[in-house]
């Protein structure tokens, strides 16, 4: 919680430190799998990762991107019942990498979606499941690295949080995915 408050203060003051260098998308996903895989397994939630088959480089702060992925996966774990599943994927699109965390939880109503990235905001039914800072911080971290973040949630349930990061200069377009379970 203290780290979250420090991140919020840095974001609000425009002093967030992002140390970007070249990072492999597959390695970012592997780091997130190592961090969040055991929690998903303990709670009986399936966690699958789909990464590009070949190295795809983005310019980002590895620690901060793993922080965002861990937050998104952690939220998906909280709201996905045992026996449900979460898919974490990354693929190249034009000049950026597109990351997505999709779950089979109850979803987010259209009325609530515009608020999910606001500081301290929580839906009434989820008020005891966190501090209301994680998605606000995730948005600030992704935007500070030249990306964008958003959420989609079909009326039938489930939610997908997606974000982009700029590709490193000279990265080639690769579309096949490497499938793996964690």
């Amino acid at each position: 919680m203290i780290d979250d408050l420090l991140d919020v203060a840095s974001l609000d003051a425009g002093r967030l430190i992002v140390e970007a260098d070249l990072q492999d998308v597959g390695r970012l996903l592997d780091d997130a799998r190592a961090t969040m895989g055991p929690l998903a397994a303990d709670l009986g939630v399936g966690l699958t990762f789909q990464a590009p088959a070949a190295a795809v480089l983005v310019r980002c702060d590895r620690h901060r991107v793993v922080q965002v992925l861990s937050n998104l996966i952690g939220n998906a774990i909280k709201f996905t019942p045992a026996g449900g599943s979460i898919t974490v994927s990354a693929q190249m699109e034009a000049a950026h990498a597109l990351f997505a965390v999709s779950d089979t939880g109850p979803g987010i109503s259209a009325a609530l979606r515009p608020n999910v990235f606001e500081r301290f905001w929580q839906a009434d039914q989820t008020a005891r499941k966190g501090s209301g800072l994680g998605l606000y911080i995730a948005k600030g971290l992704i935007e500070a690295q030249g990306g964008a973040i958003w959420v989609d949630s079909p009326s039938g349930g489930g939610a997908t949080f997606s974000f982009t990061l700029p590709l490193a200069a000279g990265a080639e377009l690769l579309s096949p995915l490497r499938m793996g379970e964690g």
Side-chain angles (χ1 to χ4, degrees):
M1 179 68 149
I2 291 172
D3 287 339
D4 284 350
L5 291 173
L6 291 171
D7 283 343
V8 167
S10 295
L11 283 167
D12 290 347
R15 294 190 175 132
L16 180 73
I17 296 173
V18 174
E19 298 177 10
D21 61 15
L22 296 181
Q23 297 292 328
D24 177 59
V25 168
R27 176 133 188 258
L28 294 169
L29 293 181
D30 287 345
D31 289 350
R33 179 193 334 249
T35 301
M36 302 306 294
L39 177 61
D42 288 348
L43 296 174
V45 176
L47 184 56
T48 302
F49 287 78
Q50 300 173 343
V56 173
L57 299 178
V58 292
R59 182 166 296 283
C60 70
D61 182 322
R62 184 189 71 76
H63 171 74
R64 294 303 197 165
V65 172
V66 172
Q67 179 182 351
V68 170
L69 284 167
S70 295
N71 175 269
L72 297 178
I73 297 166
N75 284 346
I77 291 170
K78 281 187 231 178
F79 296 105
T80 301
S85 63
I86 299 165
T87 301
V88 182
S89 63
Q91 62 187 28
M92 291 184 51
E93 290 192 348
H96 61 265
L98 172 66
F99 294 79
V101 177
S102 301
D103 66 55
T104 59
I108 304 166
S109 74
L112 299 179
R113 270 179 259 153
N115 303 313
V116 298
F117 294 104
E118 292 179 14
R119 182 175 50 173
F120 297 117
W121 185 87
Q122 294 184 333
D124 290 338
Q125 68 268 30
T126 64
R128 291 189 176 92
K129 291 194 176 190
S131 66
L133 295 174
L135 292 174
Y136 176 78
I137 293 168
K139 183 177 191 280
L141 290 172
I142 294 303
E143 290 177 351
Q145 297 179 80
I149 188 168
W150 64 94
V151 62
D152 295 305
S153 185
S155 60
T160 299
F161 282 83
S162 303
F163 66 91
T164 59
L165 289 172
L167 291 175
E172 294 181 28
L173 184 60
L174 303 171
S175 58
L177 295 177
R178 179 183 70 219
M179 304 287 282
E181 302 223 348

